[in-house]
Amino acid sequence: QKEVEQNSGPLSVPEGAIASLNCTYSDRGSQSFFWYRQYSGKSPELIMFIYSNGDKEDGRFTAQLNKASQYVSLLIRDSQPSDSATYLCAVNEVGNFNKFYFGSGTKLNVKP
Amino acid sequence: DVKVTQSSRYLVKRTGEKVFLECVQDMDHENMFWYRQDPGLGLRLIYFSYDVKMKEKGDIPEGYSVSREKKERFSLILESASTNQTSMYLCASSWTGGQPQHFGDGTRLSIL
């Protein structure tokens, strides 16, 4: 059974702090990794994607990938109340780039 | 920007009805997907299509069928709607396998 695991939260951080969201996956050999943000009642919105080991930065967001340990993280610097949402991790199925598996998401609360 | 448009935001149907959910994308993407999202179960893939008239079953295809007659349009069909198909349905598209998927706004479907 392919699995993408996320702590459901909620993760509460004060405004201006760094929020760290983690995701582990079971399918060794997965090559495409994505983070989506989903506001309540809305559809998922792509934030970042990463294909190679290491860090990838985009504004306040940094994705970190460690394939050996099979985890991918999302760091949000200078967290804002508008970042309060559920964050979904997605990983492709080995041998099938068309098929993604999504975690159940981590709910983030940023307190003003 | 990628635009994925789902025909209805909210839909109410009765058990036994044949239900059509439509999705259109404007970016000439090769791949299109249908997911359903339920509390506690996350996003689950129903079907996807990697080319016109080509389709592949996802993880939960039972009770559903799909149609892709034109590249930009992907339809999900509930052959005989049942109450356990009440859910949020999300359409997505991507350039090719392994590329980010972009979601429509979703259709909240209630089967009475």
Side-chain angles (χ1 to χ4, degrees):
Chain A
Q1 178 71 25
K2 301 166 184 65
E3 291 184 346
V4 178
E5 298 283 347
Q6 296 182 255
N7 188 320
S8 62
L11 173 66
S12 292
V13 300
E15 183 174 356
I18 296 175
S20 178
L21 305 163
N22 299 310
C23 171
T24 59
Y25 59 95
S26 63
D27 221 353
R28 187 178 293 275
S30 293
Q31 298 189 33
S32 303
F33 306 86
F34 305 86
W35 281 101
Y36 288 83
R37 177 176 62 198
Q38 187 172 25
Y39 293 113
S40 181
K42 303 294 186 180
S43 63
E45 171 192 11
L46 180 71
I47 296 179
M48 300 234 9
F49 57 93
I50 186 167
Y51 300 133
S52 303
N53 271 333
D55 294 0
K56 179 181 179 183
E57 187 174 320
D58 184 0
R60 295 187 296 113
F61 299 96
T62 299
Q64 299 176 316
L65 175 60
N66 184 323
K67 290 185 180 179
S69 300
Q70 295 178 238
Y71 79 80
V72 55
S73 301
L74 179 70
L75 300 179
I76 307 174
R77 289 182 298 282
D78 189 24
S79 295
Q80 300 298 308
S82 59
D83 295 325
S84 297
T86 297
Y87 289 79
L88 305 176
C89 171
V91 176
N92 80 284
E93 181 180 68
V94 174
N96 189 344
F97 284 101
N98 289 314
K99 203 168 177 184
F100 291 1
Y101 288 98
F102 284 80
S104 295
T106 297
K107 186 172 177 60
L108 174 65
N109 290 331
V110 180
K111 300 178 179 178
Chain B
D1 278 356
V2 177
K3 185 67 175 176
V4 179
T5 303
Q6 295 185 229
S7 52
S8 305
R9 290 297 310 275
Y10 301 94
L11 205 54
V12 180
K13 296 292 182 180
R14 297 205 174 273
T15 55
E17 280 193 71
K18 191 169 186 176
V19 180
F20 294 85
L21 303 183
E22 307 286 344
C23 176
V24 177
Q25 49 93 5
D26 67 354
M27 285 300 291
D28 204 34
H29 282 171
E30 299 292 327
N31 294 355
M32 296 187 75
F33 308 82
W34 276 107
Y35 293 89
R36 63 178 284 178
Q37 187 175 29
D38 301 287
L41 296 176
L43 275 160
R44 293 180 291 167
L45 181 64
I46 303 171
Y47 268 99
F48 67 96
S49 168
Y50 50 91
D51 200 351
V52 175
K53 296 188 187 290
M54 305 303 287
K55 61 186 179 185
E56 193 165 322
K57 292 179 180 179
D59 296 314
I60 52 165
E62 297 78 18
Y64 303 95
S65 63
V66 290
S67 172
R68 194 171 181 196
E69 296 296 321
K70 294 184 178 181
K71 192 174 186 180
E72 68 271 18
R73 186 178 298 268
F74 192 34
S75 302
L76 179 70
I77 303 152
L78 285 65
E79 298 292 342
S80 177
S82 64
T83 54
N84 62 11
Q85 293 178 308
T86 292
S87 186
M88 169 70 91
Y89 289 87
L90 291 158
C91 176
S93 71
S94 71
W95 286 110
T96 58
Q99 296 293 310
Q101 295 181 16
H102 300 271
F103 286 85
D105 287 339
T107 296
R108 189 165 294 280
L109 175 64
S110 296
I111 307 296
L112 304 179

